[in-house]
Amino acid sequence: SGELAKKAWKLWQSNRMGTRSGEIHKEAVKKGDAYLIVWVDPNKKVTMYPQKAESCTVSYDEEIPGKILWAAKTWKTPDKRTRINMYYPDRTERYITIKKQETGVPDLKQLKEFDEDGIGASIPNPYDIVPVFHFANNSNIGTPGQSELKSAINVQDALNKSVLDMLVAMEFASFKQRWAAGIEIEYDENGEPIPPFKGGIDRLWTTDSSEVKFGEFSTADLEQFLKVKADFRIDMACVTGTPLYYFMLTSGEMPSGESLKKSETRFINKVDDRQESFGQVWDDAMAFALLMDGEPAGIQLFTDWQDSAPSSEKEKLENIVIKQEIGISDEQALIEAGYGEADIAKMIKQNKTKATEKITDFNAGIE
C-alpha cells in the first residue's frame, strides 16, 4: 500500500541507507560478503547497522536453503578485550573476554557474559528471525560469497610487474651506455683497471690516438613493454567481464550505438545478477524492520533498482516511434514517453482539433 511504502521509505531515510547501502554493496563485491544488523537503539528506534565482512559470520539451515540458523559478530573493545554477540531467532547472547589481548585469536575459555551496560547478557528476540542479513556476492547455496577481485588479482600482479620492468628499463635507458675501443688500459696498484673516461652530460671524451673508436649501445625498446601492458588490460577485461574501453579510455574513440551495447552485455548481466541477489536480502531486511516498527508479519516487499543499462532520451523516443509504426496508440506512446494523464488528454484533444481543421481546410480547397 501507499502508506506502507511511505513508512518503509521513512525508515530507509532515517537510517541514511542511501549512503550505507552503497557501503554494503562495496563491501560485498570487494570482500565477497557484507552484513546488516537490524535492531533497536537505546531510544527504541529501529536502526540498521552495516557490518564489515571480517566481523560477522552466519550459519545456514541445510534443510531450508537461505534460512539463517544463527549469526555471530566479534570485535575489539577500546580496552583490547574481545566482544562476541551470538544472534538466534529467539535471543541475542552477549559475551566478553576477561583479559586484554592485543592480537591473535581470543581464548574462548576466558569468555564471560557481558552486562556492563545494564542491558542484559541475554536479550529476548520476540520476532523468531535472526536479525542479521547476509549479502553474499556471487555465492553458491549456503556458502560465503566471492570477491570480484579474486579473478583479477593474478592479472593485476602481472600487470604491476610489467610496469615495474618498464620503469627499470626507462631508468637504464635514460642515459645511453657508451663504449671505446683501441685504448691502452692502465691499472692501479691493486691491479684493477682504471676507467679512461668518466661519463656525464658535461663531459667530453677525447684522445690523441687515431686508432681509438667510440660508439654507444642501442636503447631498450620500451614499445614492447607498452604492448605487454595493453595485453594484460585485455586479460583483465576478460576475467572480470568489464568492458575493455573502461581500461583503455585514451587508446582510441569510445564505442557507440550497438557496439557499445554488445561490449557491455556481460558486465550488465553481472550487475543485473547482483541486483537480483542483493535485492532479495534488502526485501527481507526491510520487512523485518517494518515488523519491528509495528507492521504485521509476512509483508512482501520488492526492491526497486535503477535500470542497469538506461537508454538515452533519444533512444527512448526512437523506440516509441517504432512501436507506433507497428500499431500502438498515440495515447500509449505518450504514456511511455512519460507524460501524465492530464497532459496526455490535453495533447490528444489538441491533435484532434488540428486534424479537424486540416480536413475542413482541405474540403474548402485551402492549402
Side-chain angles (χ1 to χ4, degrees):
S1 66
E3 291 300 321
L4 184 62
K6 290 179 181 178
K7 192 171 185 178
W9 181 246
K10 184 178 179 180
L11 273 174
W12 183 270
Q13 291 289 81
S14 65
N15 280 278
R16 301 180 180 179
M17 295 307 295
T19 298
R20 291 179 175 177
S21 62
E23 294 172 351
I24 290 174
H25 297 157
K26 185 188 297 184
E27 182 81 357
V29 299
K30 182 173 66 174
K31 297 183 179 179
D33 300 284
Y35 299 88
L36 177 74
I37 296 178
V38 182
W39 202 246
V40 292
D41 64 9
N43 297 320
K44 305 300 179 182
K45 175 186 174 183
V46 178
T47 308
M48 303 178 187
Y49 303 93
Q51 306 295 322
K52 296 179 180 179
E54 59 268 20
S55 66
C56 295
T57 187
V58 295
S59 176
Y60 285 96
D61 191 339
E62 292 291 342
E63 183 179 357
I64 307 175
K67 180 181 179 180
I68 297 176
L69 294 176
W70 56 265
K73 176 186 175 182
T74 180
W75 70 99
K76 286 285 186 181
T77 63
D79 62 355
K80 304 302 180 183
R81 292 190 292 171
T82 300
R83 281 285 314 277
I84 298 177
N85 280 5
M86 298 295 302
Y87 300 92
Y88 299 98
D90 61 343
R91 69 194 186 282
T92 297
E93 297 177 358
R94 308 195 300 163
Y95 302 93
I96 191 169
T97 53
I98 299 172
K99 297 180 180 180
K100 299 179 181 180
Q101 187 175 350
E102 293 288 341
T103 58
V105 179
D107 183 2
L108 297 183
K109 295 180 181 179
Q110 297 294 325
L111 284 178
K112 69 171 185 177
E113 293 183 339
F114 177 78
D115 189 22
E116 297 178 7
D117 53 4
I119 297 177
S122 181
I123 301 174
N125 178 359
Y127 306 105
D128 197 33
I129 297 173
V130 176
V132 180
F133 299 89
H134 179 205
F135 295 82
N137 182 68
N138 194 27
S139 67
N140 296 318
I141 298 174
T143 63
Q146 300 180 43
S147 170
E148 292 292 336
L149 302 179
K150 182 179 180 181
S151 58
I153 290 175
N154 290 337
V155 179
Q156 185 63 55
D157 288 343
L159 176 58
N160 293 343
K161 173 66 165 54
S162 69
V163 173
L164 289 174
D165 289 344
M166 182 177 66
L167 294 176
V168 172
M170 290 171 62
E171 180 70 19
F172 279 91
S174 62
F175 188 80
K176 293 183 178 181
Q177 296 293 315
R178 295 175 173 82
W179 56 266
I183 297 177
E184 184 177 349
I185 302 298
E186 298 181 0
Y187 296 88
D188 60 19
E189 57 185 10
N190 297 321
E192 298 292 333
I194 300 174
F197 304 105
K198 290 184 178 180
I201 59 175
D202 59 341
R203 297 179 181 275
L204 182 66
W205 293 3
T206 62
T207 180
D208 296 333
S209 175
S210 60
E211 301 296 326
V212 177
K213 297 180 180 181
F214 296 97
E216 63 183 17
F217 295 109
S218 60
T219 59
D221 184 7
L222 298 182
E223 184 68 24
Q224 299 299 321
F225 291 97
L226 296 177
K227 290 180 179 179
V228 171
K229 183 179 176 182
D231 288 342
F232 279 129
R233 287 179 175 178
I234 295 173
D235 292 341
M236 183 69 76
C238 291
V239 300
T240 62
T242 307
L244 181 59
Y245 70 86
Y246 278 32
F247 298 107
M248 309 180 79
L249 294 176
T250 60
S251 63
E253 296 183 357
M254 291 280 289
S256 60
E258 290 301 318
S259 61
L260 181 64
K261 290 182 179 180
K262 289 181 179 179
S263 67
E264 292 184 339
T265 298
R266 183 181 168 197
F267 183 68
I268 295 302
N269 289 340
K270 184 165 70 171
V271 173
D272 290 339
D273 178 78
R274 303 304 184 270
Q275 287 183 344
E276 181 69 23
S277 174
F278 294 165
Q280 294 178 14
V281 184
W282 283 120
D283 298 344
D284 295 339
M286 288 304 300
F288 182 70
L290 289 169
L291 177 63
M292 295 188 69
D293 204 35
E295 294 297 325
I299 295 174
Q300 292 292 323
L301 299 176
F302 299 95
T303 304
D304 185 17
W305 296 94
Q306 291 185 351
D307 189 354
S308 57
S311 302
S312 66
E313 190 66 24
K314 180 181 178 181
E315 289 175 327
K316 290 180 181 178
L317 294 177
E318 287 176 347
N319 289 335
I320 292 173
V321 171
I322 293 173
K323 289 181 180 181
Q324 278 187 300
E325 292 177 353
I326 63 174
I328 71 168
S329 65
D330 292 342
E331 184 177 0
Q332 180 62 32
L334 292 171
I335 291 173
E336 294 187 12
Y339 291 99
E341 294 182 4
D343 291 331
I344 292 174
K346 182 178 179 181
M347 284 187 281
I348 290 177
K349 182 178 180 181
Q350 290 174 342
N351 289 337
K352 288 181 178 179
T353 301
K354 289 180 181 178
T356 301
E357 291 175 352
K358 286 183 178 181
I359 293 173
T360 302
D361 291 344
F362 178 80
N363 291 334
I366 302 175
E367 296 184 356

